[in-house]
Every structure is written in C-alpha cells, then in structure tokens.
Amino acid sequence: MLIYYAIWCFADLSRFVALGAECLLLVWSLTVEFTSLQHIPHNSVINIEADIRALQLDSAEENNGVGVVIPTDQNSDGVEIVDKMDEGGSKVYAVMRLNALILILDIYPFSTDQKEEVQESAPAPDVQQAPEDHDQEILHPVHNPAKAKEKAAQEKAAKEEAEEEAEANKKRHLNVVFIGHVDAGKSTIGGQILFLSGQVDDRQIQKYEKEAKEKSRESWYMAYIMDTNEEERAKGKTVEVGRAHFETETTRFTILDAPGHKSYVPNMISGASQADIGVLVISARKGEFETGYERGGQTREHVQLAKTLGVSKLVVVVNKMDDPTVNWSKERYDEIEQKMVPFLKSSGYNTKKDVIFLPISGLMGTNIDKSMDRNVCPWFSGPSFFEVLNAIEVPPRDPNGPFRMPIIDKFKDMGTVVMGKVESGSIREGDSLIVMPNKEHAKVVAIYCDEDKVKRAGPGENLRVRITGIEDEDILAGFVLSSTVKPVPAVTEFVAQLQILELLDNAIFTAGYKAILHIHAVVEECEIIELISQIDMKTRKPMKKKILFVKNGAAVVCRIQVSNSICVEKFSDFPQLGRFTLRTEGKTIAVGKVTALSGASSSA
C-alpha cells in the first residue's frame, strides 16, 4: 500500500512540475511576441486583433464548455474563467495565450496621431447592408445616429396618435351634483348608485351595515359610502362635498354630494359650481317635503343657487316612495310635482325641456339602475334614473379655448397638487401655465382624472394636477390655473347686474351694503360702492331714473368692490366665471352676473 501511495504522489508532483514549465514557456513566448509587436505597422494591428478574436471563438466552440473565455470588451481586466482543466492542458494553454495576447493589444500604447491614422485607413462600414454573420455584428456594431433619431420620432408620433385616438374614443363625461333639503336621502342615493354600478362590493356593504347597526342607525348604512368621516357618520349630516365616480355603458359620471344643512350652504355652492347637471332630491315622507319646501327650507335655496351657478338641467327625484306613510302613492307624487313646477319656473327653469320628475327608493335601489316592476308602482311607466342620465346631452365645451381651471383645493404630495374642474381649453403634461391672480408661473408634471393618471384632459373634467414652480402655501381656493397666452383677468372692482331675492328684515339695498361674494371657488367679502341704474322688469332694459336704493325683487346694475384681487370674467365671455351669488348672515340675498371689468390685470 505504501508503494502505491508513493507512486501516486510522484505522478502528482510530476504533473505540477510540468504545469510550472508550461507557465515559464508562456511568459517567454509572450515576451518575444511583445517585442515583435514593436515592429508591426499600426494599420495591421487591427487585422491581427480581429483574427485572434475569431480564433478565440473557434477555440471556445471546440472546447464545448471545457474553457469559457470572456472577451476583453466585457472583461476589462482580461480575467479568464476556466470551469475545468483539460487532461493534456494544451487547449487551456492555447486559450490563455490568446487572451494574454489580446490584453497586450488593448494596452499597447498608441499616440493620438497613430489612432487617427489607423481609423482613417480602416474602411467605413456600409450602413445599408446588414451583417451576414451574427458574431461579426456583435463584435462590430453599426450605429447610425440619424436613423436612430428618425425611429425615435416615429415611435413618439405613433404614441401621441394612439393617445389621441384613445381620447376620442373615451366615454363622454358629466358632473352630477345632488342637492336638496337635509335628510332627503342624497348620500343614500349616491351610495346606492355606487353599489349598483359595481364600485362597492358586498363585503363593504356588510361592514357599513354592521357599523350603522352599532350606532342604532340601520337605515344610514348606504350613506356611509359617501359620508366618509366620523363627524358626518355620527350626525348623519353631510358636511363636505362628497366625490365619487361611476360609469354606465355610454357615460362617465362624477358624483358631487352637496350638504343639505343650511350651515353648510357655502360648501354646497362649491359643489354646484363644478356641476353640469343637478339632481334635486325630495323626500316624499309626510312632513319632510313640506319642511324643505317652506320659506327658509333648503329645497328652495338650493334650486335658486343651482340655476345661478349654471346647472341648466335638473332631475327631480321623489325619494322614499316606499315609506309606509307614502307606499308609492300617486296622489302624494302628483302633489309634490304640482307644488314644485311653479317654483321651478319662477327660478328660471323650463319645466318642459330642462326638468324631469322620477319616483325612486334610494334605500332599496328601486327605479335607479333599471325600470321598476309594475307590481311595485303600477301607475309609472317612465325611464329609470340611469336611463335619464344617459339621455341628457353634454353641455357645449370649448377644448381649444384659453385654459381655465378654478382651484377648489390644494395639497402637498411629491410637489404641489391642485384640484378643480376644467372650464375651458385643454391641458397636457409638460404645459407651462400661470396661476392667477398672483401671476406665478407653473409647469404641469402629472395629471390625474378619476384616480387615473392621464397625459391630457379636456374641458368638463375634474382633475388633480401636480405642478412645479410654486409652493402650495402660495395658492388659495379661488385662484385660477390659466394659460400664459391669454390669462384670466384679475380685478378688485367690476360692474354687475343683480337680481335681489330676499333682503334681511327692514334692510334696503344701497351703496355701502356689504355681503359675502361667491363666484366659482372664490369666497370674498364685497361692498356695493355705486348703484348705476335699475332695470325695468317688463322690458329688461335700464331705467333712466337715478336711484339711491332698491328693495326685494328688484333688478339693478351696480358697481362691486372687493378688498383682494380676484379672478373673474365677463358673463358674455365665460359664463362659468361670470355668475355669482351674494349672501349675508347665512342667507342668499341676490344673484348676478358680471357685465364689465374695471382695471383688469391679466398680463403674465
């Protein structure tokens, strides 16, 4: 056994001696070749290198996994990875020799002039002819900057065309505000709509049912979908304007759930100013309709405000028809309709073209997404609520006009984010805009519509826009994101035509009268500084007689002044930015429209 072991050790020692001899031979041969390279013309070095690289690839294929060689353009240190040694070691030696020689070529010192000489002598590659050998294409890539630039431009154009096509095929969009007296069921209807349209699943509904039952308010669970904060859920009253989205087959809708309590009318005005159509919710329950309709009830005030704020179409839904005090009674439905029609006419609505009445049950979802069964209500054969919404025409909008987006809110989220409804024009990522009236320039970084990020948006869309160039502390509600070419005017004084609705007890309307001005998202204290003329209610023309004061029901042209600069437009140019209301001590006393601007500042 010892003899065999001695023989094995001697054989292994002989192998290491042989390997050491081969290494010495390799060093000697490289020294000789390096010396010979000093006499090789520089224009031949490139050809030698190409031949060696070709030989290297052939050697790697022959070894078939025995030795893996990393080219020097991928391995700058010239390191060689060898998985296992060949029995004879000759192939490994050849590969080591080739790599070492390529390393010498890479570090062989060339002067700048010599490099230029070699490059000039090398033939220019033919960019029109594709390389036949794939390995040659990898080793000698052909780059054409002009062709690459042209390809990038074509890809960009195709992407923009696809975006425009998607925008054109996008469903039409409508903003719907729910208005009406407190406890009429606005939030419950909004929640039921989201449930029936698939925006809320059964698990969430069960959660809301359990939460409402714990508070002994079992019938409020649908309202919890829209009323998200604890104050609203505890009191059962909407405070802020709720916002949600749903879709039908033809239309995208944004729901604006306005508060019905008289203490939160300013919030209702903010919601209605963003709406295209209004849904007036009336409770059919005995006593509730009368409370909202009587003088001082919010049904009346909401209708007047909606008309003033540009809500031209009104869907009057008679809710709670399933209540035991009503039980889908046709007599109760007709009574409500007969009382509401004259009032709607006096508020400026065309009841034949612009108003439609519907009986529904918000809590049960009856007659909302589909027409109800004759067994439930045998006397009504009209359309469902969704069918009525789908049939309403989108108001005219100008996507090519000057950009106008009144800001209703702002917050900080990876930059400054502003919220609002686009009243005119279009917006794209990268646009340069101006925030008025403080004339701060801003750049559009990102646009969000219905929680989705988009590249562009048109008029009528409720957006969240991330901008740079201005801090959120420098932005207030009522500021307007505007185009730089034709910015919105900023004024402290303007001329308006007013319709006096109901002044406070023993009050007269004269110069010096102060009130709170609500125009788009602006809430500002104002003062009447001059009564210019009174308007004849029959001819609708100014009277020549000089006036000092007017009373309830009068129409007057006057000059109004505010302490801070605000963004307004003439009603004839931009109705959305030219109509307003005057309120004092929690009551709406007048509605009006801007007829002229005094000392407007709009320079960017």
Coordinates of all heavy atoms in Angstrom, one line a residue, residues 284 318 320-336 359 376-379:
A284 N -90.5 62.2 -0.1 CA -92.0 62.1 -0.1 C -92.6 61.8 1.2 O -93.8 61.8 1.3 CB -92.3 61.0 -1.1
V318 N -88.2 62.1 -6.6 CA -89.1 62.0 -5.4 C -88.7 60.7 -4.6 O -89.1 59.6 -5.0 CB -90.5 62.0 -5.7 CG1 -91.4 62.0 -4.5 CG2 -90.8 63.3 -6.6
K320 N -87.9 58.1 -1.2 CA -88.6 57.5 0.0 C -90.1 57.2 -0.4 O -91.0 57.3 0.5 CB -88.6 58.4 1.2 CG -87.1 58.7 1.6 CD -87.1 59.5 2.9 CE -85.7 59.9 3.3 NZ -85.6 60.7 4.6
M321 N -90.3 56.8 -1.7 CA -91.7 56.5 -2.1 C -92.1 55.1 -1.4 O -93.3 54.8 -1.4 CB -91.7 56.3 -3.6 CG -91.7 57.7 -4.3 SD -93.1 58.7 -4.0 CE -94.4 57.8 -4.9
D322 N -91.2 54.4 -0.9 CA -91.5 53.1 -0.3 C -91.8 53.2 1.2 O -92.1 52.3 1.9 CB -90.4 52.1 -0.4 CG -89.1 52.6 0.2 OD1 -88.9 53.9 0.2 OD2 -88.2 51.8 0.7
D323 N -91.8 54.5 1.7 CA -92.1 54.7 3.1 C -93.5 54.4 3.5 O -94.4 54.5 2.6 CB -91.8 56.2 3.5 CG -91.9 56.5 4.9 OD1 -90.9 56.2 5.6 OD2 -92.9 57.0 5.4
P324 N -93.8 53.8 4.6 CA -95.1 53.4 5.0 C -96.1 54.6 4.9 O -97.3 54.3 4.7 CB -95.0 52.9 6.4 CG -93.6 52.5 6.5 CD -92.8 53.4 5.7
T325 N -95.7 55.8 5.1 CA -96.6 56.9 5.0 C -96.9 57.3 3.6 O -97.8 58.1 3.3 CB -96.0 58.2 5.7 OG1 -94.8 58.6 5.0 CG2 -95.7 57.9 7.2
V326 N -96.2 56.7 2.6 CA -96.4 57.0 1.2 C -96.9 55.8 0.4 O -97.9 55.8 -0.2 CB -95.1 57.6 0.6 CG1 -95.4 57.9 -0.9 CG2 -94.6 58.8 1.3
N327 N -96.1 54.7 0.5 CA -96.4 53.4 -0.1 C -96.7 53.6 -1.6 O -97.7 53.1 -2.1 CB -97.6 52.8 0.6 CG -97.7 51.3 0.3 OD1 -96.8 50.7 -0.1 ND2 -99.0 50.8 0.4
W328 N -95.8 54.3 -2.3 CA -95.9 54.5 -3.7 C -97.2 55.1 -4.2 O -97.8 54.8 -5.2 CB -95.7 53.2 -4.5 CG -94.3 52.6 -4.3 CD1 -93.9 51.7 -3.4 CD2 -93.1 53.0 -4.9 NE1 -92.6 51.4 -3.4 CE2 -92.0 52.2 -4.4 CE3 -92.8 54.0 -5.9 CZ2 -90.7 52.4 -4.8 CZ3 -91.5 54.1 -6.3 CH2 -90.4 53.3 -5.8
S329 N -97.7 56.1 -3.4 CA -99.0 56.7 -3.7 C -98.8 57.7 -4.8 O -98.0 58.6 -4.8 CB -99.4 57.5 -2.4 OG -100.5 58.3 -2.7
K330 N -99.7 57.6 -5.8 CA -99.7 58.5 -7.0 C -100.1 59.9 -6.5 O -99.6 60.9 -7.0 CB -100.5 58.0 -8.1 CG -100.5 58.8 -9.4 CD -101.3 58.2 -10.5 CE -101.1 58.9 -11.8 NZ -101.4 60.3 -11.8
E331 N -101.1 60.0 -5.6 CA -101.6 61.3 -5.1 C -100.5 62.1 -4.4 O -100.4 63.3 -4.7 CB -102.7 61.0 -4.1 CG -104.0 60.5 -4.7 CD -103.9 59.0 -5.1 OE1 -103.0 58.3 -4.6 OE2 -104.7 58.6 -5.9
R332 N -99.6 61.4 -3.6 CA -98.5 62.1 -3.0 C -97.5 62.6 -4.0 O -97.0 63.7 -3.9 CB -97.9 61.2 -2.0 CG -96.7 61.8 -1.2 CD -97.1 63.1 -0.4 NE -96.0 63.5 0.5 CZ -96.0 64.6 1.2 NH1 -97.0 65.5 1.0 NH2 -95.0 64.9 2.0
Y333 N -97.2 61.8 -5.0 CA -96.3 62.1 -6.1 C -96.8 63.3 -6.9 O -96.0 64.3 -7.1 CB -96.0 60.9 -7.0 CG -95.1 61.2 -8.1 CD1 -93.7 61.1 -8.0 CD2 -95.6 61.4 -9.4 CE1 -92.9 61.4 -9.0 CE2 -94.8 61.7 -10.5 CZ -93.4 61.6 -10.3 OH -92.6 61.8 -11.4
D334 N -98.1 63.3 -7.2 CA -98.6 64.4 -8.0 C -98.7 65.7 -7.2 O -98.5 66.8 -7.7 CB -100.1 64.0 -8.5 CG -100.0 63.0 -9.5 OD1 -99.0 62.8 -10.1 OD2 -101.1 62.3 -9.7
E335 N -99.0 65.6 -5.9 CA -99.0 66.8 -5.0 C -97.6 67.5 -5.0 O -97.6 68.7 -5.1 CB -99.4 66.4 -3.6 CG -99.4 67.5 -2.6 CD -99.5 67.0 -1.2 OE1 -99.7 65.8 -0.9 OE2 -99.5 67.9 -0.3
I336 N -96.6 66.7 -4.9 CA -95.2 67.3 -4.9 C -94.9 67.9 -6.2 O -94.3 69.0 -6.3 CB -94.2 66.2 -4.5 CG1 -94.4 65.7 -3.1 CG2 -92.8 66.7 -4.7 CD1 -93.6 64.5 -2.7
P359 N -90.1 59.0 -9.6 CA -90.2 58.4 -8.3 C -89.2 57.3 -8.0 O -89.0 56.4 -8.9 CB -91.6 57.8 -8.3 CG -91.8 57.4 -9.8 CD -91.0 58.4 -10.6
V376 N -94.7 46.9 -8.3 CA -94.3 47.8 -7.3 C -95.0 49.2 -7.4 O -95.5 49.7 -6.5 CB -92.7 48.0 -7.4 CG1 -92.3 49.1 -6.3 CG2 -92.0 46.7 -7.2
C377 N -95.0 49.7 -8.7 CA -95.6 51.0 -8.9 C -96.4 50.9 -10.3 O -95.8 51.2 -11.3 CB -94.6 52.1 -9.0 SG -95.2 53.8 -9.1
P378 N -97.7 50.5 -10.2 CA -98.4 50.3 -11.5 C -98.7 51.6 -12.3 O -98.9 51.4 -13.5 CB -99.7 49.7 -11.0 CG -99.9 50.1 -9.5 CD -98.5 50.2 -9.0
W379 N -98.6 52.7 -11.7 CA -99.0 54.0 -12.4 C -97.9 54.7 -13.1 O -98.1 55.6 -13.8 CB -99.7 54.9 -11.4 CG -98.9 55.2 -10.2 CD1 -99.1 54.5 -9.0 CD2 -97.9 56.1 -9.9 NE1 -98.2 55.0 -8.0 CE2 -97.4 56.0 -8.6 CE3 -97.3 57.1 -10.7 CZ2 -96.4 56.8 -8.1 CZ3 -96.3 57.9 -10.2 CH2 -95.8 57.7 -8.9

